[in-house]
Each structure stands twice: as structure tokens, then as C-alpha cells.
Amino acid sequence: MTHDPACPMCRAVADLTAADRPDLVWHFPHSVAHLGPWQFYTGYCVLMARDHATELSQLGPARAAFLDEMALLAAAVEACFRPHKLNYELLGNLVPHLHWHLFPRAAADPDRLRPVWFALDRADADPAEKARLTAGTVPVAEARTRLRDWLTANGAPTAP
Ligand SMILES: [Zn+2]
């Protein structure tokens, strides 16, 4: 397992592994899933790689398993929250450690034809917009339970 002590996401992975935080969804063998803060996108999850890597090409033989874990989490989000469309984003421009953003999008979202980042950028400068985009239609505890129940029922692998 590779770890970069200077990387904030390596520390976040360690924190999620050490404690059962209320936003923790699942410990996969190669990644850790948690509910992200922007629950206007109901069921929005972040999936962080356990290994410190900045590009998929660096994962080597673990890459297929990492991608399978992402797809399984995506299936859970789809089944639990029935989005109009799920958006998959693997960016890392701000924190260069492999992590997926899974944004469920609603047909009624006025910004549905744009990436969420435009709205999130507005929220950074506007407390009312921030409140709107962090408030979910489903409480975080319930969202977590739904996702965990689906992952358990569908045999999602867990970290050893
Ligand atoms: Zn890292």
C-alpha cells in the first residue's frame, strides 16, 4: 500500500479507515466510499483510492478492481436514488490522488446540461446557494443505510 504523508486524501483515507464516520459508505479492498457534502445531488458519493496514485495508469494490476469498485458503487447509487443520469468524474486537479465523484443528476436540475462545478463554484461565494446545494432530500444517515444495504445485498467486496 503506497501512502504519501503530504497528501490530504491519503490522510482522509486513513481517517475513514480508523473511524466509523457518519458519512462513510463502504470500505472496498482498493478504495473507500463516502457521501460527499453536496447532497442536493442526492446520493453524491466520493470514492477514494486506498493507494496514493495520481493517474489510473499508475495503479498496475489493481486498476481493474478499482474500476469495478467504482462501477459497483455507481450501481448502488443508481438503484437507491434513481437519478436521471449519473455523472462520473475523475479529476484530481485540486487534490491529485485518484478519486471518483459520482454525481446523480436530476432532470429538474436547471443546470442539468452543465458539470456541477459551475454551481459549486457559485456556492463557494454565496452562503444561500451553499445551503441549497448541501441540503439533501434524504438525510445522510438514511442515504448511507440505503447504500450499505444495497452493497451488502449485492455482495460488495470489503477490505480485508
Ligand atoms: Zn494520496
Side-chain angles (χ1 to χ4, degrees), residues 86-115:
L86 195 58
N87 288 176
Y88 305 74
E89 303 205 49
L90 182 71
L91 302 171
N93 299 326
L94 189 61
V95 182
H97 172 128
L98 287 176
H99 61 286
W100 289 97
H101 296 271
L102 299 182
F103 279 106
R105 305 299 298 272
D109 181 348
D111 291 321
R112 74 184 184 284
L113 298 181
R114 312 181 82 188

Side-chain angles (χ1 to χ4, degrees), residues 20-134:
D20 187 21
R21 286 195 347 210
D23 58 341
L24 172 70
V25 174
W26 202 259
H27 290 291
F28 289 102
H30 301 280
S31 59
V32 179
H34 68 99
L35 284 155
W38 307 107
Q39 288 299 312
F40 168 79
Y41 309 100
T42 307
Y44 160 51
C45 283
V46 179
L47 183 73
M48 302 183 291
R50 287 185 181 278
D51 274 336
H52 181 82
T54 59
E55 305 296 344
L56 283 171
S57 59
Q58 297 167 358
L59 282 184
R63 181 171 54 227
F66 176 64
L67 292 172
D68 279 350
E69 292 168 7
M70 179 275 292
L72 194 56
L73 180 65
V77 173
E78 290 167 43
C80 293
F81 303 105
R82 301 281 172 204
H84 173 68
K85 180 66 184 77
L86 195 58
N87 288 176
Y88 305 74
E89 303 205 49
L90 182 71
L91 302 171
N93 299 326
L94 189 61
V95 182
H97 172 128
L98 287 176
H99 61 286
W100 289 97
H101 296 271
L102 299 182
F103 279 106
R105 305 299 298 272
D109 181 348
D111 291 321
R112 74 184 184 284
L113 298 181
R114 312 181 82 188
V116 298
W117 306 104
F118 293 95
L120 300 185
D121 202 37
R122 284 197 310 267
D124 273 344
D126 179 348
E129 183 69 348
K130 185 171 187 175
R132 182 179 79 87
L133 294 178
T134 51

